[in-house]
Every structure is written in structure tokens, then in C-alpha cells.
Amino acid sequence: MDASTLWQRYQEWLYYHEGLGFYLDISRMRFDNAFVEALQPKFEKAFASMAELEKGAIANPDEDRMVGHYWLRNPDLAPTPELTQEIVSSIEQIEVFAEKVHTGGIHPPKAARFTDIISIGIGGSALGPEFIAEALAPDFPPLAIHFIDNTDPTGIDKILTHLRNKLSSTLVLVISKSGGTPEPRNGMLEVKKAYAGQNLDFANYAVAITMPGSKLDDQAKNENWLMRFPMYDWVGGRTSSMSTVGLVPAALQGIDIKEMLEGAKEMDDATRIADIKKNPAAMLALAWYYAGNGKGEKDMVVLPYKDSLLLFSRYLQQLVMESLGKEKDLDGNIVHQGIAVYGNKGSTDQHAYVQQLREGVPNFFLTFIEVLKDREGASPELEPGITSGDYLSGFLQGSRTALYENHRDSITVTIPEVNPRTVGALIALYDRTVGYYASLVNINAYHQPGVEAGKKAAAVILDLQTKVIDVLQSEKAPMTLAQIADKAGASDNVESIYIILRHMSANNRGVVMQGNLGEPNSLTVSMG
Ligand SMILES: O=P(O)(O)OC[C@H]1O[C@H](O)[C@H](O)[C@@H](O)[C@@H]1O
């Protein structure tokens, strides 16, 4: 395509949302009109099922759940007045709580104000809050947030060491929708011990964000924690940024949550329109479908050219891959769907892997995220008429052109600046795009059956560890791995036992391994 035809195509497909100052350009995806027409019936179905979903249909059939994240930003859409009221009052509750924490109305027993937050959660209970904090927290927030998003002892220690002189003014958010996920439970138990170690009563510092009636909720209630915020079964973890999960930490950091909700609502309104060309989420879903042939044949590289959006691709990784990465379609056929997502930020990544994108395996499409506003205030000129922001903008445009010339397609999303409204809008845009795309490829975007397998397998290993410890404690003499496996009733699982024991021995847990470490069969093991 020559430059003037491309410019025509650019204008023909450019989407602009006036209220949000938001642009979407899919002109550098090489679909033609016939492709759009062929997809039209699938889109009609997608628009219709999205409308049903928003009205409260059981859109997640496997888990028999409604899918209501859109109601969070427009409570009037909720299917019952009770739900509307519940959403409205939880937002009020969050604002009142944050205000009291900021002004000292709620304060820790031994300090006038809370100064820090430890936020404990994983997956959807971490990625949204982390992305929002990185994108929107002010430079000097009223409370500084620190995340424990794993069960890595070193990671937990790092936060606790950093805060060791400030625990008495640190608020702890324990975020888990199900209230039963092992990683946040472990983080909470370790943090609780750290408070006890400083003679601080954890309950005075702890806030639970979870579904009413969950294990976590029961614990918070029984121990009389400072506060409990409800999470709903009709909000999926990966779409929970606008629920208590994302809003409580955001409000505590001084981020305007009403603006975030408003931006998301405006984007929701725009992405509800049943006309591909007038609906940015439909346009994006179309582009994804085109890129990967409706089968995820190409990976999605997300490159925001703005440091504060660094975690957006990580956030999208869960949203997209956990939603779309499915073995079966809605009719039970094996389809192995999904779209792989990765990326950090531009122009930084141009000095890392963009070499491969430009010249190597053409197994991806790009999403550039452009932010028009460079910074608060004026920029110094580094060369006559040129600022650092001009470089950033030039690098984005340069990469887009160079990649397109080499038959690497791209999408460009443009926002005026990074603020609560535009971040809310971005989150909403991708929530909806994932929903439409799932419908185009006929899968359930709202369950995650594959995650359970890993959790169950881990539980089996921990159970085996308990048995192995029993065996070692009752037998004094050193034993081979096969003998231990035999006595533990797990003779078909010697390898797992070896890995368990090697880990224990590396951590001074009383396990003594003798023999050649490079030859597991030569080892004898005893409890020292
Ligand atoms: O918030 P939680 O219930 O603790 O869940 C945390 C995460 O873990 C699960 O394994 C799911 O796959 C995620 O979708 C979820 O966000």
C-alpha cells in the first residue's frame, strides 16, 4: 500500500472518543472489508450475548455465575435493586474508610496515622492493584504501598525488613476473593507473626477484602480485624480492579477512584454499541481475530510508551491468557484457544527484543500504547526544537513504520495522559474486548479450570512431604530414596520425594543427605 492509500485507510478506521480523548488505530492490521463482512454474524452474536451478560445472564455456565464487572462502574445496570445498593454502598464505605485513615480518624494504637500499606494477594488480587499503583499513585502518597504477591520467603522478608521500624503504622490489606488461596494465606500468617513479634495486635492493623463467608472472612470476623470489605462472586478475579479489590488500595493511596470508575463507565458505554466501527472493543477484537486467524496463532506484544504503564502488559497477561486460554469451546470441542501476551515498555524494549520482532519469527502482532502528554510543565529542549518526549514519540512512530514495512502488523491505542479516568477506560476497554473475542471464538472467558490442576498437584506434594517426614522421624537409620518412598506408600513417586528432601536439606530442616548429590540413587537420607 502506498503512503496516500495508507493515510486513507488510517482515516477510514480511526476511532476517536471525544469524552475520553481516546484514539484507536487498527489501520496497520492488514484485514480487508471482506474479512469484516465475514465476521459480521459472529459479531452480532457477540453483541447479543454481551447484552444478556450485562442483564445478569449466567454468562459463566461452568461455575453457574453471573458476570457483573460492568455493574461496578454503572450500578444502575445491576439486575436487582439490592445489588445496585450493595455496589453503591461499598464505594461509599471505601471512601469513608480512606478519608478516616488519611485524617487519622482511624489510626493504629501506637501512632497518629497509618503511613504504609502491605497488600497481600495474588493473581487478580494483586495484578490490578499493582498496575493501578504504578500508573496512578502520587509521588508522595498518603500511604506508601508494598505488595506481597507470592509465597516466596525472601520476597516476604524483603518487605518485612524494609518496614521493620514502621510496622506499628502499617496497615495490612489481605485480598483474596475466595479467601482460600494458599499464597496470600501464607503471606498473611507470616506478616501476622511479624506483628506478634513486635507485640502488636495484628487485628488492629488488618483489613480483609474477600467474599462474605469465606475462610478469610471468618478469620477476620472472629479476630475482630479493623475492617472487612466484601467481594462478590459475580466479579472474576481478573476483572476485579473496579471492585473493593482495586478500589480500597487505590483510595488509600489517594487515587481518585470515582474518576477511575467514571472513565471505565464512559468506555463501557462506548463499547456497548452494536456496530464494529463505532465500538473500540469490537475493533480490537476484530484485529485480534485477524492477527491470529481466530486461533491465537500470533502473540500479542503490548508496548506502552510511558513508564507508569509498565505493568499494563503484565496485568493484561492474566486478563487475556486466563480468560482466553481454554481447552474446550462452549460446545465441548477441543480447541486449545488463547492469545499469548507479553511486553514491558517502549522505547526501552527497542533495545532488548525488538530486534527479533523486526527481523525474526513473525509470530506476533503489536499494540503500541501512546500517551500524548509528555509531563507536567514544559520540557527542556535537548536539541533545537526537540525534547525527550519528542524522542519517545518519534521512537514509537519509527518502530510502528519499520515493523509495518517488514509485514509486522500493529494496533495503536492513544490516550491523552495517564490519569484515573484513562486508566479506568483502558481497563474497561480490554475487559470488553476479551468478552467479545471469547464470543467470536465461542469459549467461556470467565472460568479457569486449568488453574485448579496446578493447585491440586501442589497439595499432593505437600501431603507427601508430611508422610515423608513421618517416615524419617520414625526410622532412625539412613534410608535410600526408594526405601523412603516404599514406607511412605509412594513407591511410584521417588522423584517427588527426592525433590522434597533436597529442598528440605537446603533449608536446615534436619534432613541429612549422604552420597553423591549428582546421583540421587546413591543417596541415603536421615533426620538429623
Ligand atoms: O483472589 P483469590 O481468590 O485469592 O484468587 C487469586 C487468583 O488465583 C486463582 O488461582 C485464579 O486463577 C485467579 O483468577 C485469581 O485471581
Side-chain angles (χ1 to χ4, degrees), residues 4 136 141 156 158 175-176 197 234 244 318 323 326-327 335 359 398 403 415 498:
S4 79
L136 298 175
I156 297 172
K158 190 166 180 164
I175 312 181
S176 175
W234 41 266
T244 48
Q318 184 202 17
S323 301
K326 300 291 155 72
E327 180 184 33
V335 288
E359 296 182 349
L403 287 158
I415 54 173
Y498 165 65

Side-chain angles (χ1 to χ4, degrees), residues 119 124-134 145 147 175 241 245-246 249 253:
S119 182
S125 295
L127 291 161
E130 286 170 326
F131 164 53
I132 290 168
E134 186 77 16
I145 197 159
F147 291 97
I175 312 181
S241 315
V245 168
Q253 290 169 88

Side-chain angles (χ1 to χ4, degrees), residues 26-350:
I26 58 169
S27 67
R28 263 47 171 193
M29 303 296 290
R30 278 164 233 252
F31 59 85
D32 58 17
N33 288 340
F35 174 80
V36 182
E37 270 159 40
L39 272 191
Q40 192 60 42
K42 283 187 195 289
F43 266 105
E44 265 146 40
K45 186 179 135 254
F47 292 136
S49 44
M50 186 60 80
E52 288 304 308
L53 175 150
E54 283 203 304
K55 277 190 225 140
I58 300 295
N60 179 359
D62 299 47
E63 294 176 354
D64 195 26
R65 283 179 182 166
M66 301 189 289
V67 174
H69 47 273
Y70 302 108
W71 312 330
L72 297 168
R73 38 259 194 168
N74 189 349
D76 292 336
L77 287 181
T80 66
E82 292 73 28
L83 279 183
T84 302
Q85 192 43 45
E86 216 178 313
I87 299 166
V88 171
S89 51
S90 96
I91 296 169
E92 276 163 14
Q93 217 187 355
I94 294 168
E95 290 196 312
V96 169
F97 178 74
E99 166 77 15
K100 283 194 183 151
V101 169
H102 292 158
T103 53
I106 295 177
H107 64 87
K110 295 182 188 169
R113 297 278 158 89
F114 280 108
T115 58
D116 292 76
I117 304 167
I118 298 177
S119 182
I120 306 173
I122 198 164
S125 295
L127 291 161
E130 286 170 326
F131 164 53
I132 290 168
E134 186 77 16
L136 298 175
D139 292 337
F140 301 101
L143 286 93
I145 197 159
H146 315 266
F147 291 97
I148 293 180
D149 63 1
N150 197 356
T151 184
D152 173 14
T154 317
I156 297 172
D157 284 351
K158 190 166 180 164
I159 303 280
L160 288 175
T161 304
H162 184 70
L163 290 172
R164 69 180 181 278
N165 297 325
K166 294 212 265 178
L167 274 196
S168 62
S169 65
T170 298
L171 187 71
V172 182
L173 303 179
V174 186
I175 312 181
S176 175
K177 176 188 168 182
S178 62
T181 309
E183 292 92 335
R185 187 210 61 150
N186 295 356
M188 180 264 291
L189 290 175
E190 289 218 5
V191 169
K192 194 175 173 195
K193 278 187 203 296
Y195 276 74
Q198 295 195 13
N199 289 322
L200 303 170
D201 181 358
F202 185 63
N204 293 325
Y205 303 81
V207 174
I209 301 174
T210 186
M211 287 202 294
S214 75
K215 263 194 210 162
L216 171 60
D217 190 50
D218 287 348
Q219 180 179 1
K221 200 169 13 174
N222 294 338
E223 294 177 2
N224 202 16
W225 287 16
L226 187 60
M227 189 73 187
R228 285 153 50 223
F229 288 100
M231 209 348 215
Y232 315 102
D233 84 325
W234 41 266
V235 176
R238 53 190 173 273
T239 53
S240 64
S241 315
M242 307 276 164
S243 73
T244 48
V245 168
L247 298 182
V248 173
L252 287 168
Q253 290 169 88
I255 296 166
D256 189 336
I257 59 169
K258 284 262 165 71
E259 275 291 290
M260 236 166 67
L261 290 162
E262 189 52 39
K265 175 179 180 292
E266 271 193 75
M267 184 57 84
D268 285 343
D269 291 343
T271 55
R272 195 173 286 125
I273 295 169
D275 179 341
I276 300 175
K277 272 190 142 174
K278 294 190 176 131
N279 178 332
M283 288 168 66
L284 266 187
L286 173 100
W288 295 3
Y289 194 100
Y290 172 75
N293 202 16
K295 295 181 192 138
E297 286 168 7
K298 290 199 173 169
D299 301 345
M300 182 183 337
V301 182
V302 180
L303 276 188
Y305 278 60
K306 189 51 84 185
D307 289 358
S308 64
L309 296 181
L310 170 74
L311 296 183
F312 193 43
S313 44
R314 190 135 77 98
Y315 166 81
L316 288 181
Q317 207 164 49
Q318 184 202 17
L319 175 68
V320 174
M321 296 178 75
E322 207 173 56
S323 301
L324 302 180
K326 300 291 155 72
E327 180 184 33
K328 291 185 183 154
D329 69 10
L330 285 167
D331 304 316
N333 305 309
I334 305 279
V335 288
H336 295 297
Q337 274 290 355
I339 302 179
V341 180
Y342 64 94
N344 300 292
K345 62 173 177 168
S347 68
T348 316
D349 289 4
Q350 286 182 222

